[in-house]
Amino acid sequence: MNNASKSLRIAAIAIACVLFGATIAFSQTKNYKLFSGDILRFTVYMEPDITTEARIETDGTFMLPFVGKVDAAGKTLSELQESLYVKYDGDYFINPQINLRIIEYAQRTVQVHGQVGNPGLVAIAPDAELTLMQAIAEAGGFTRRAEERKVQITRDGEIVNRLFRLNPDSLAKQDMDSSDAQFKLQPGDIVFVPESLF
């Protein structure tokens, strides 16, 4: 293979990687459910005066010109954009070309305490899920004193009404079969790994 052909092949692979990465990023943004703390940029084509950047408040809403408070948390960008079109079309603009984008993601975290290597906050990546076992692994895994079969989760100030029984070997084996290990955490959850009495 001559140098020209080799260069073309490398360039083609690089372009494919960029396009693949862009496709993944688009898919993630498309499916992402908006969360309190996300900052959005709102624009309407040919209407620069109402361009707005706003943070979604703790009640799940944000403020926009003319229409005021808008529910946003829990919706995708496309769902929110459709609802805004209905609000603006006719009363304020004719067939408005509305664009929304996330300019900053909220920090979503859970707390992991007790008998783990590095107690503290564990971040949940945007448009991703975090399982109980993943959170414990991120927090440094179980200590020797951990009681792995009596893990507790507190959500919205209340203890989830069951004990999570985990197998420490799951951290190494990536055990996908245990429903307890794969329990999905939510932002704000507090995980506590107690100390074994024996």
Side-chain angles (χ1 to χ4, degrees), residues 40-135:
L40 305 179
R41 181 177 175 85
F42 166 84
T43 58
V44 178
Y45 180 65
M46 297 294 288
E47 298 291 342
D49 291 342
I50 69 165
T51 294
T52 303
E53 292 183 2
R55 184 184 301 273
I56 300 175
E57 302 297 336
T58 54
D59 64 356
T61 67
F62 73 120
M63 296 292 293
L64 284 178
F66 305 136
V67 299
K69 188 176 286 190
V70 176
D71 291 324
K75 297 180 179 179
T76 64
L77 280 179
S78 60
E79 289 170 343
L80 180 57
Q81 194 162 301
E82 288 173 9
S83 68
L84 291 176
Y85 179 88
V86 173
K87 289 179 181 293
Y88 279 98
D89 187 38
D91 291 337
Y92 304 102
F93 305 107
I94 304 299
N95 191 27
Q97 303 301 302
I98 294 171
N99 181 264
L100 278 175
R101 66 185 180 94
I102 302 168
I103 59 175
E104 184 178 318
Y105 287 96
Q107 184 178 25
R108 304 185 304 155
T109 60
V110 301
Q111 299 179 50
V112 183
H113 297 295
Q115 295 299 313
V116 292
N118 299 297
L121 295 177
V122 173
I124 305 175
D127 196 29
E129 293 181 331
L130 182 70
T131 67
L132 176 56
M133 193 59 88
Q134 286 171 337

Side-chain angles (χ1 to χ4, degrees), residues 113-117 119 141-147 192-196:
H113 297 295
Q115 295 299 313
V116 292
F142 295 117
T143 67
R144 291 183 179 181
R145 296 181 178 180
E147 177 50 87
F192 179 71
V193 180
E195 184 177 356
S196 174

Side-chain angles (χ1 to χ4, degrees), residues 180-194:
D180 282 355
Q182 296 306 309
F183 181 84
K184 302 295 191 300
L185 297 176
Q186 296 180 8
D189 282 355
I190 301 173
V191 178
F192 179 71
V193 180

Side-chain angles (χ1 to χ4, degrees), residues 132 150-155 158-164 180 183-186 189-192:
L132 176 56
K150 293 184 179 179
V151 177
Q152 290 183 336
I153 296 174
T154 302
R155 177 171 292 168
E158 297 183 1
I159 295 177
V160 175
N161 61 356
R162 67 188 178 106
L163 293 176
F164 292 84
D180 282 355
F183 181 84
K184 302 295 191 300
L185 297 176
Q186 296 180 8
D189 282 355
I190 301 173
V191 178
F192 179 71

